[in-house]
Amino acid sequence: MIPDELKAITDAETEASAKVRCRLNVCMAAGCQSCHGDKVLKALQAEVASRKLEGVEVRGVGCLGLCAEGPLVLVDPEHVLYQRVQAEDAADIVAALGGKPVKRLVCSLETPFFKRQKFIVLENSGKINPERLEDYVAHRGYEALATCLTERQPPEVVAEVLASGLRGRGGAGFPTGLKWQMVAKAAGPKKYIICNGDEGDPGAFMDRSVLESDPHRVLEGMALAGYAVGADHGYVYVRAEYPLAVKRLNNAIKQAQKAGLLGPSICDTAFTFNVEVRLGAGAFVCGEETALIASVEGRRGQPRPRPPFPAEAGLWGCPTLINNVETFANIPPIMREGGKWFAGIGTEKSKGTKVFALAGRVCNTGLIEVPMGITLREIIFDIGGGIPEGRKFKAVQTGGPSGGCIPEQFLDMPVDYDSLAKVGSIMGSGGMIVMDESSCMVDVAKFFMEFCRTESCGKCVPCRVGTAQMHNLLSSICAGTATMDDLALLERLCDTVKFTSLCGLGQSSPNPVLTTLRYFRHEYLAHITDKRCPAGVCNIHSLAEVHA
Amino acid sequence: MAADSSKIAAPSADKRWRLVDNVMRRHGYRADGLIESLHAVQESFGYLDDVSLRFVAASLRLPPSKVYGVATFYHFFTLKPQGEHTCVVCLGTACYIKGAQKILDRIEQDYGIKPGETTPDNKLSVLTARCIGSCGLAPAVVIDGTMSGKLTADETAEHICRCVGA
Ligand SMILES: Cc1cc2nc3c(=O)[nH]c(=O)nc-3n(C[C@H](O)[C@H](O)[C@H](O)COP(=O)(O)O)c2cc1C
Ligand code: SF4
Ligand code: SF4
Ligand code: FES
Ligand code: FES
């Protein structure tokens, strides 16, 4: 496939879509499928067929964002969004084409939920059919790859990523350009690219959505990385819990190979790049890069000490570039529009946008993409629509089990890597869970500790034993049986585990405890001294029981 | 690294072994195909038992201890057969905040089983998951492979009742 052929595909697509008078885009991502979006698609297709309508196309697209109100259907060119559509609504929707929309189903697109977002990673999500290569190409897909391969040298590609200021979206925020430079400079005839799609944070679904809604973009990003650092083989490590993402990815790989966009001599150049999918098997620790490498090699996913970093010695001892799904998804637009353009978005030290999975006690749950530097308040109250049922906001959790709970006083803080770290949390991969007064913060800390305890790989003592002990202590605080000495012990243990664990899982496991202790200490004290749970969540033993 | 030519015979004439063998062959019977092979076994048979673990170990020229180690390390693999019906309750953060624990409590109350257990009549197994990626619809439950979201404990109980047919 060469640039001219890509253009031919685009032209053919443009010509075909010129014949389409009207398009019904049905969300076929996992969220909407689970509330029977697939039946809606079939019903709409049947309805259009039975009315013998010409120029009306019904097609599946990726996530439209407002997952909680699914199944969603977007009608173009009218640009009308229907929510909670059921198969029975098909007749009304089709009948309304070209006329007045079906009022009872309309979801306004003029709300801040849609207006305040900025799409880079998700620019194609909900706009293209993720199962068609042609659709991606018609939206300037693989343009960046073709141009780079034919017109730019690998060091120029690395330089462009450096100039963009892009930082890793997998959690730690390491500058992507620097990582690419390290791997590019590493010696060795064989190098690998790994795309981290393990998405272990329980309560986050950004990477899943990207893979389901726009799989080719991730493949293009990986191929560009391969060209830049000199690797000819890539793996995408995806959770086995995401069957739809795996299916779309495999389908995309096959299409790209057939079109000559993956495989040998891509775009008639000497560049070869193959991609394979590897399934995870439900171990959070496998998101950690050295554990992930062990898992790709077919072993138990246990981390090892770094250095050496994977950039020097990774998969089978070869230099390996590991980036997150969203990181790779940012690459094609960066190459297309230039690093400078990207660096113009966001804040001084955090460039571009970030995709968040907004969930919990918030009105609009779903997938959002916002420029870095937006405030938490804007995300939760404008885009998210605030807290349902007139309840009161209590905290927002970012970064999952490695992150922290941020209280109300920081709502006006900008969302970027450094500000979040300053208040004791992390950006993380993009899970954002809103909590209201019905959540007990000690119970939340216990929940995350239970997670870390079961997910600890057991390799090192501080984490294996420490998380279990911290969990015991939190359980007895929740049960109202703990003393102030127990609380002191808990704080000491947090410190020990944080500074002596081998990998990030153990090192960050105290974060949910530390932040809740910092901002919600009174709730801990209420459990310990007053024997009551202010939120009414914990089952506190009565004083008599305690003393019995 | 390629295995020698003596191919290990399948444990029985069951056609499903062929699916498993296909996957192992696709990975050249190499050790790094172990996890993919175990996925194939679980997909075909529903769980991993001694016979299948030994078959995979022999085919990939790996010590059984290593195969067992991997099979038990990863939560996705199960060494026990499931009941006729399964109910997976998501215990990810979003679902937990929205009351997934109440659903589990209700199931325990109705059927007397905790996560990972199966009723004595082998009708129902209850499992938990760490986020199934439908957080927007929390709390999420998967009953016999079909996901449902935004359920209360009562609704879930009804749903299970209908599936189990009790
Ligand atoms: C316990 C643990 C879990 C992790 N889970 C993930 C994950 O699910 N997805 C991810 O991309 N990175 C995860 N990471 C971070 C990776 O180790 C690695 O830093 C990242 O994939 C690098 O990509 P990036 O530079 O593009 O962010 C995890 C790290 C730790 C310590
Ligand atoms: S800690 Fe003890 S039981 Fe565990 S692996 Fe080492 S020797 Fe064996
Ligand atoms: S910190 Fe925990 S997860 Fe990491 S290596 Fe140690 S035991 Fe394993
Ligand atoms: S899954 Fe349909 S809108 Fe997100
Ligand atoms: S937390 Fe339950 S689906 Fe994500």
Side-chain angles (χ1 to χ4, degrees):
Chain A
M1 182 94 30
I2 51 171
D4 285 349
E5 290 172 279
L6 286 178
K7 187 158 178 306
I9 293 182
T10 310
D11 292 345
E13 283 290 304
T14 321
E15 202 178 308
S17 62
K19 294 201 189 99
V20 176
R21 179 165 57 82
C22 178
R23 238 189 207 126
L24 293 162
N25 300 301
V26 186
C27 173
M28 279 282 131
C32 289
Q33 280 211 11
S34 64
C35 33
H36 312 301
D38 43 346
K39 286 193 192 136
V40 173
L41 180 82
K42 285 209 188 87
L44 286 169
Q45 277 167 338
E47 190 62 35
V48 169
S50 79
R51 289 179 190 236
K52 301 202 173 55
L53 293 180
E54 295 275 321
V56 176
E57 185 189 25
V58 182
R59 59 173 195 165
V61 294
C63 180
L64 286 159
L66 198 54
C67 313
E69 304 300 329
L72 297 179
V73 178
L74 181 69
V75 184
D76 273 331
E78 289 94 331
H79 213 58
V80 172
L81 183 67
Y82 290 126
Q83 63 184 7
R84 301 187 189 222
V85 180
Q86 291 305 319
E88 299 79 59
D89 301 320
D92 289 350
I93 292 179
V94 175
L97 290 178
K100 271 216 173 76
V102 189
K103 213 166 161 200
R104 67 168 196 282
L105 300 170
V106 170
C107 170
S108 171
L109 284 163
E110 296 304 312
T111 54
F113 181 86
F114 296 100
K115 293 276 159 199
R116 294 299 278 277
Q117 299 196 45
K118 177 163 182 70
F119 298 115
I120 295 177
V121 171
L122 301 178
E123 63 183 353
N124 290 337
S125 181
K127 292 211 177 64
I128 65 165
N129 180 344
E131 296 184 356
R132 289 187 68 232
L133 171 85
E134 295 80 7
D135 222 355
Y136 178 64
V137 171
H139 286 78
R140 304 186 67 190
Y142 290 110
E143 179 189 310
L145 181 66
T147 321
C148 285
L149 291 187
T150 48
E151 292 166 18
R152 303 173 82 171
Q153 292 303 312
E156 292 174 58
V157 176
V158 175
E160 200 70 60
V161 177
L162 269 173
S164 75
L166 175 67
R167 292 169 67 174
R169 300 296 194 238
F174 189 82
T176 306
L178 284 183
K179 204 187 260 185
W180 286 31
Q181 204 169 37
M182 266 154 65
V183 182
K185 280 192 185 139
K190 186 85 184 166
K191 295 179 190 174
Y192 291 96
I193 305 287
I194 296 180
C195 172
N196 188 343
D198 196 39
E199 193 153 72
D201 171 359
F205 53 98
M206 306 74 51
D207 296 347
R208 165 191 203 151
S209 229
V210 172
L211 290 171
E212 281 175 1
S213 306
D214 203 4
H216 280 290
R217 161 186 294 262
V218 179
L219 297 178
E220 186 180 0
M222 289 177 70
L224 282 163
Y227 178 64
V229 306
D232 66 358
H233 203 97
Y235 290 93
V236 190
Y237 189 88
V238 194
R239 297 180 74 197
E241 290 88 339
Y242 290 176
L244 186 64
V246 173
K247 187 181 130 213
R248 297 231 165 114
L249 202 50
N250 275 321
N251 174 53
I253 292 173
K254 263 198 215 107
Q255 290 172 344
Q257 278 168 342
K258 212 164 141 214
L261 291 161
L262 285 180
S265 339
I266 300 175
C267 296
D268 289 342
T269 64
F271 179 58
T272 296
F273 193 70
N274 290 301
V275 177
E276 268 183 80
V277 174
R278 281 295 161 98
L279 291 187
F284 173 61
V285 69
C286 286
E288 197 279 338
E289 49 191 25
T290 59
L292 190 150
I293 287 171
S295 189
V296 173
E297 291 174 358
R299 298 185 285 120
R300 293 192 299 185
Q302 289 191 304
R304 62 156 176 79
R306 299 172 302 176
F309 287 91
E312 300 147 4
L315 195 58
W316 290 298
C318 303
T320 302
L321 174 75
I322 300 193
N323 276 131
N324 167 263
V325 170
E326 195 184 327
T327 313
F328 281 123
N330 269 304
I331 300 296
I334 288 177
M335 298 325 284
R336 223 170 50 209
E337 316 288 336
K340 238 205 195 127
W341 159 80
F342 190 83
I345 303 162
T347 67
E348 195 198 332
K349 287 195 179 137
S350 305
K351 304 295 188 194
T353 58
K354 178 78 195 86
V355 181
F356 286 103
L358 190 59
R361 300 275 177 195
V362 57
C363 290
N364 305 327
T365 56
L367 194 73
I368 59 164
E369 182 171 0
V370 289
M372 296 273 194
I374 190 170
T375 66
L376 284 167
R377 190 184 296 282
E378 286 171 284
I379 294 182
I380 296 165
F381 289 90
D382 295 348
I383 296 175
I387 318 295
E389 296 160 27
R391 286 169 181 269
K392 202 167 160 292
F393 170 88
K394 188 180 224 174
V396 53
Q397 214 278 347
T398 65
S402 315
C405 296
I406 304 169
E408 189 166 11
Q409 72 240 46
F410 297 117
L411 275 179
D412 293 306
M413 184 188 83
V415 172
D416 59 55
Y417 291 96
D418 312 284
S419 306
L420 285 167
K422 226 188 278 159
V423 297
S425 189
I426 57 167
M427 173 79 79
S429 53
M432 190 175 270
I433 313 256
V434 181
M435 301 175 203
D436 65 12
E437 55 212 343
S438 67
S439 291
C440 164
M441 301 318 278
V442 190
D443 182 65
V444 167
K446 184 181 94 178
F447 166 80
F448 283 116
M449 195 52 76
E450 203 265 335
F451 180 86
C452 291
R453 181 186 60 116
T454 38
E455 296 300 331
S456 166
C457 82
K459 182 166 178 162
C460 65
V461 177
C463 166
R464 183 181 68 224
V465 184
T467 52
Q469 287 308 324
M470 290 191 286
H471 181 250
N472 285 347
L473 288 167
L474 288 163
S475 299
S476 58
I477 295 177
C478 285
T481 53
T483 62
M484 288 305 284
D485 286 346
D486 290 332
L487 187 63
L489 180 61
L490 177 65
E491 297 196 271
R492 271 212 313 282
L493 261 176
C494 282
D495 207 52
T496 308
V497 175
K498 188 175 173 132
F499 292 105
T500 57
S501 292
L502 172 60
C503 85
L505 193 156
Q507 289 160 9
S508 63
S509 66
N511 285 353
V513 182
L514 289 169
T515 50
T516 47
L517 269 173
R518 191 152 137 196
Y519 304 122
F520 300 94
R521 200 178 182 87
H522 52 279
E523 294 199 18
Y524 281 79
L525 296 180
H527 286 78
I528 296 171
T529 51
D530 309 343
K531 308 291 173 205
R532 73 185 173 85
C533 172
V537 172
C538 302
N539 211 343
I540 300 239
H541 301 294
S542 68
L543 272 177
E545 274 173 352
V546 175
H547 291 299
Chain B
M1 278 220 280
D4 63 59
S5 54
S6 58
K7 211 179 123 213
I8 304 297
S12 72
D14 194 324
K15 284 213 178 76
R16 289 175 288 184
W17 293 117
R18 237 188 303 163
L19 297 172
V20 177
D21 193 59
N22 280 346
V23 170
M24 295 195 290
R25 187 166 19 132
R26 208 172 57 230
H27 290 277
Y29 297 102
R30 287 189 320 265
D32 63 278
L34 175 57
I35 295 173
E36 301 286 320
S37 310
L38 295 180
H39 273 300
V41 175
Q42 184 153 314
E43 202 163 292
S44 312
F45 294 90
Y47 72 110
L48 314 172
D49 63 1
D50 274 8
V51 175
S52 53
L53 290 178
R54 278 178 203 281
F55 171 58
V56 170
S59 304
L60 305 184
R61 267 72 182 171
L62 283 169
S65 60
K66 179 156 184 211
V67 174
Y68 188 73
V70 167
T72 50
F73 181 86
Y74 292 98
H75 305 304
F76 194 80
F77 297 129
T78 162
L79 305 176
K80 282 189 295 195
Q82 304 294 314
E84 249 170 80
H85 301 275
T86 55
C87 173
V88 184
V89 179
C90 175
L91 261 195
T93 321
C95 293
Y96 186 78
I97 295 294
K98 290 225 172 152
Q101 188 61 44
K102 291 206 184 88
I103 295 179
L104 280 176
D105 292 345
R106 176 65 190 261
I107 294 173
E108 191 177 347
Q109 200 185 335
D110 289 1
Y111 296 90
I113 48 173
K114 287 195 168 70
E117 295 178 350
T118 305
T119 50
D121 62 0
N122 213 27
K123 278 258 190 225
L124 179 71
S125 298
V126 180
L127 305 162
T128 56
R130 296 299 194 173
C131 190
I132 46 179
S134 303
C135 321
L137 303 166
V141 175
V142 183
I143 299 171
D144 286 340
T146 313
M147 205 220 89
S148 326
K150 295 192 182 171
L151 294 184
T152 63
D154 286 341
E155 285 164 343
T156 315
E158 253 171 60
H159 216 95
I160 297 178
C161 221
R162 234 176 297 134
C163 286
V164 177

